[in-house]
């Protein structure tokens, strides 16, 4: 701003009131000074006091508000860490969800698997549709009510939000808000399902939907293999009847003498190759021959000193698999080994290793979850075979987290992002983590001022008695979980 010459200023003859402007002094050519326009509001400077919006001093008003205010706990509530008081319940902040639906079933389904469909990959439109299979856990005196549920969930709309951006309105017009629809086909079971996994392979006729097998490990120590292709097809072909024969198992495997929870299909053997592990530490391999017969190799893999809790095939080597055990170890095996002994054994926890997940994007990364609530990521390139002549130093995880204070019940890598992991735990939480977030030496381990919350923690979802979680491989960012309170 340009400076004004002194001649432009005038000295008022009287103090200003009610918006009057200063008038030019007629008899004085020298520059005068403005009087304080608020001067007449106070008799003296000693009489100035602080007045609030209601005429009272701010200190007096704030003290009264503090006395009358409702007591509110200002601490951050962390599901799984903070405790609810009697009569309290948690409600999700729906603004943080793109899609959120819950589903209850007649009996809890503590194991399930997402089934691939023919609706395409990378789906981002709504309402969404997905297919899944789950096994129930009925009360022991009503075991005959157990079933294998083949499900189609459709009409899964996105969350209703305030849409302020006009530019987004046109894009969202096609996303209709609908009521979710659940369709099910039931396959009778006579025992509780401990674990169920699905496997698909394409048929010779490309116009037909892929053949879908399920392997169900039951509390009765049996492994049941079903073909649920007709059940899935019936959802999209109204009027289709499922015969009793179609609901019978293709094979009932009875090689285990004890029940188990470890089941996995090979992703590299199209016709079907199955691993199962039991509470006696034994692991069996079952293969589907070209004739359609299921053949189990009766020579088990042994080496664990406790129960086999989880098992996974390598995502890129068809003869290699890994197993996790209550003995605190993870062992890597080669099915071609005549000794049926592990090639590598590493102690990863002082407690039970409940679950693990082999990254399909980065095949040398393996995630494990233990009974003490700690989960870790391991670089398998650092795991060396041990021999009687050499002693290799114990490998260390490339990342580990003890945010959860109860056992880890499920863990799974994101299907397309090798830095994202979903973790379910016995503290009623389903959490999402981003391992790409690095912690600098100067950085605190606290996030947003909240103690002991790692910056890699992306999201915490409260889910009662959550037991398993799985990413949907065709709907980006979609996670499905199950627990004592149903599906979510």
């Amino acid at each position: 701003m340009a400076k004004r010459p002194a001649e432009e200023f005038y000295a008022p003859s009287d103090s200003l009131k009610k918006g009057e402007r200063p008038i030019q002094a007629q008899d004085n050519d020298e520059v005068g000074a403005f009087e304080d326009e608020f001067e007449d509001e106070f008799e003296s400077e000693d009489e100035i006091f602080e007045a609030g919006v209601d005429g009272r001093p701010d200190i007096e008003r704030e003290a009264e508000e503090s006395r009358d205010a409702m007591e509110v706990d200002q601490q951050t509530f962390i599901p799984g860490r903070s405790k609810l008081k009697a009569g309290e319940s948690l409600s999700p902040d729906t603004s943080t969800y793109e899609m959120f639906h819950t589903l209850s079933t007649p009996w809890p389904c503590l194991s399930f698997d997402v089934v691939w469909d023919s609706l395409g990959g990378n789906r981002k439109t709504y309402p969404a549709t997905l297919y899944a299979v789950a096994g129930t856990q009925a009360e022991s005196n009503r075991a005959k009510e157990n079933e294998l549920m083949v499900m189609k969930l459709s009409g899964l709309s996105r969350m209703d939000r305030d849409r302020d951006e006009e530019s987004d309105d046109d894009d969202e017009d096609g996303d209709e808000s609908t009521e979710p629809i659940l369709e099910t086909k039931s396959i009778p079971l006579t025992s509780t399902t401990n674990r169920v996994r699905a496997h698909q392979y394409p048929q010779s006729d490309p116009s037909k939907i892929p053949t879908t097998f399920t392997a169900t490990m039951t509390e009765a120590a049996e492994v049941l293999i079903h073909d649920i292709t007709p059940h899935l097809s019936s959802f999209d072909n109204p009027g289709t009847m499922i015969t009793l024969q179609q609901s019978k198992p293709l094979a009932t495997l009875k090689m285990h003498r004890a029940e188990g929870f470890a089941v996995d299909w090979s992703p590299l053997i199209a016709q079907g190759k199955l691993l199962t592990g039991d509470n006696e530490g034994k692991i069996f391999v079952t293969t589907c021959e070209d004739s359609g017969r299921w053949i189990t190799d009766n020579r088990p893999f042994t080496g664990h000193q406790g129960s086999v809790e989880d098992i996974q095939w390598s995502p890129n080597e068809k003869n290699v698999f890994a197993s996790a055990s209550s003995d605190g170890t993870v062992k890597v095996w080669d099915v071609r080994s005549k000794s049926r002994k592990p090639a590598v054994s590493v102690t990863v926890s002082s407690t039970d290793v409940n679950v693990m997940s082999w990254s399909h994007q980065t095949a040398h990364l393996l995630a494990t979850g233990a009974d003490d609530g700690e989960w870790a990521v391991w670089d398998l390139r650092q795991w060396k075979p041990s021999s009687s002549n050499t002693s290799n130093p114990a490998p260390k995880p490339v990342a580990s987290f003890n945010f959860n204070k109860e056992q880890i019940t499920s863990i799974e890598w994101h299907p397309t992002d090798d830095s994202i992991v979903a973790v379910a735990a016995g503290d009623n939480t389903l959490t999402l983590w981003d391992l790409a977030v690095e912690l600098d030496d100067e950085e605190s381990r606290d996030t947003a001022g909240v103690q002991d919350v790692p910056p890699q923690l992306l999201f915490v979802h409260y889910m009662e008695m959550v037991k398993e979680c799985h990413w949907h491989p065709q709907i980006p960012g979609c996670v499905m979980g199950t627990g004592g309170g149903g599906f979510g």
Side-chain angles (χ1 to χ4, degrees):
M1 178 183 294
K3 294 183 179 179
R4 295 185 181 183
E7 291 78 17
E8 294 186 17
F9 294 93
Y10 305 97
S13 57
D14 298 313
S15 60
L16 300 177
K17 295 182 179 180
K18 297 183 180 180
E20 295 179 346
R21 295 181 177 273
I23 60 175
Q24 182 178 0
Q26 300 295 327
D27 300 328
N28 192 353
D29 294 334
E30 296 182 358
V31 176
F34 283 115
E35 292 183 4
D36 186 350
E37 58 179 307
F38 300 105
E39 182 178 2
D40 60 336
E41 296 186 7
F42 308 100
E43 294 183 3
S44 70
E45 293 183 357
D46 296 335
E47 297 181 2
I48 298 176
F49 63 91
E50 296 182 2
V53 294
D54 58 356
R56 293 182 296 160
D58 290 340
I59 296 178
E60 178 183 332
R61 186 183 67 259
E62 291 172 357
E64 181 179 334
E65 291 176 350
S66 179
R67 290 192 302 269
D68 297 339
M70 178 179 62
E71 293 185 5
V72 177
D73 185 1
Q74 298 298 330
Q75 294 184 347
T76 302
F77 187 95
I78 304 176
R81 190 78 61 80
S82 307
K83 301 297 183 182
L84 290 172
K85 296 180 182 179
E88 291 183 334
S89 61
L90 288 179
S91 296
D93 180 1
T94 55
S95 66
T96 63
Y97 296 82
E98 180 75 10
M99 178 176 69
F100 177 60
H101 296 277
T102 58
L103 166 68
S104 60
T105 53
W107 293 109
C109 297
L110 304 187
S111 182
F112 78 103
D113 204 4
V114 175
V115 178
W116 278 74
D117 56 52
S118 58
L119 300 179
N122 198 30
R123 305 200 296 265
K124 298 180 180 179
T125 58
Y126 295 90
T129 298
L130 62 86
Y131 299 81
V133 59
T136 62
Q137 188 180 50
E139 295 178 0
S140 57
N141 59 345
R142 302 171 66 178
K144 293 185 178 180
E145 296 182 18
N146 280 297
E147 59 183 332
L148 188 65
M149 298 176 60
V150 184
M151 301 180 289
K152 177 184 178 181
L153 291 81
S154 58
L156 304 177
S157 58
R158 73 163 69 211
M159 301 302 297
D160 290 331
R161 296 178 179 176
D162 294 330
R163 301 174 180 178
D164 298 329
E165 295 88 359
E166 294 182 1
S167 60
D168 291 343
D169 289 345
D170 294 337
D171 296 336
E172 295 174 349
D173 286 341
D175 298 339
E176 299 179 3
S177 178
T178 61
E179 289 295 326
I181 300 172
L182 170 64
E183 302 172 73
T184 64
K185 299 296 180 182
S186 175
I187 297 175
L189 300 178
T190 58
S191 182
T192 290
T193 295
N194 289 345
R195 192 68 56 86
V196 60
R197 292 292 180 261
H199 171 72
Q200 287 185 327
Y201 76 91
Q203 298 194 39
S204 56
D205 185 351
S207 64
K208 296 182 179 180
I209 65 173
T211 298
T212 303
F213 294 135
T214 60
T216 307
M217 202 161 192
T218 71
E219 195 176 48
E222 295 180 339
V223 179
L224 306 177
I225 298 177
H226 290 88
D227 181 357
I228 63 169
T229 309
H231 305 76
L232 293 169
S233 178
S234 68
F235 292 131
D236 302 314
N237 295 278
T240 302
M241 299 296 294
I242 304 298
T243 65
L244 293 177
Q245 184 64 33
Q246 289 174 317
S247 292
K248 290 183 178 181
L250 298 177
T252 300
L253 310 178
K254 299 183 178 182
M255 63 281 193
H256 293 283
R257 294 185 302 176
E259 66 174 312
F261 295 83
V263 181
D264 194 41
W265 292 95
S266 171
L268 304 177
I269 307 297
Q271 66 268 30
K273 194 167 188 176
L274 182 69
L275 285 169
T276 54
D278 61 32
N279 289 351
E280 291 184 344
K282 295 180 179 180
I283 300 170
F284 290 90
V285 178
T286 301
T287 306
C288 182
E289 295 184 333
D290 293 337
S291 62
R293 294 178 61 226
W294 295 87
I295 303 299
T296 299
D297 189 333
N298 289 321
R299 298 171 299 153
F301 292 87
T302 58
H304 281 298
Q305 302 304 309
S307 59
V308 180
E309 297 294 320
D310 202 0
I311 202 164
Q312 287 222 330
W313 288 98
S314 166
N316 63 345
E317 296 185 60
K318 67 178 183 179
N319 294 313
V320 177
F321 69 91
S323 58
S325 171
S326 61
D327 62 13
T329 69
V330 170
K331 301 183 187 298
V332 180
W333 314 70
D334 190 324
V335 295
R336 297 167 297 186
S337 170
K338 296 181 179 180
S339 68
R340 320 301 271 182
K341 298 297 182 181
V344 181
S345 179
V346 174
T347 299
V348 301
S349 176
S350 59
T351 62
D352 298 3
V353 185
N354 297 328
V355 289
M356 65 181 180
S357 179
W358 209 322
S359 173
H360 282 235
Q361 294 297 310
T362 307
H364 61 264
L365 294 180
L366 183 77
T368 60
D371 217 43
D372 59 2
E374 183 172 357
W375 69 275
V377 177
W378 305 84
D379 187 341
L380 296 180
R381 296 173 299 182
Q382 299 176 2
W383 291 16
K384 305 299 181 182
S386 58
S387 65
S388 58
N389 298 327
T390 60
S391 178
N392 297 319
K396 295 182 179 180
V398 295
S400 63
F401 303 93
N402 59 0
F403 170 79
N404 300 100
K405 302 307 178 186
E406 300 290 341
Q407 73 275 12
I408 305 300
T409 60
S410 185
I411 190 168
E412 188 169 283
W413 289 94
H414 190 284
T416 59
D417 191 329
D418 62 0
S419 68
I420 306 296
V421 182
V423 178
D427 55 12
N428 299 324
T429 62
L430 197 166
T431 53
L432 304 182
W433 300 75
D434 185 357
L435 302 182
V437 178
E438 297 182 357
L439 184 66
D440 296 333
D441 293 338
E442 299 179 356
E443 242 182 327
S444 168
R445 292 192 65 84
D446 302 341
T447 299
V450 182
Q451 188 176 5
D452 297 329
V453 176
Q456 292 87 353
L457 179 59
L458 287 179
F459 192 80
V460 180
H461 174 71
Y462 180 85
M463 189 171 189
E464 185 179 357
M465 295 183 288
V466 59
K467 293 299 182 183
E468 268 191 21
C469 63
H470 296 295
W471 296 94
H472 195 293
Q474 297 168 280
I475 305 178
C478 177
V479 181
M480 188 173 179
T482 186
F487 291 91

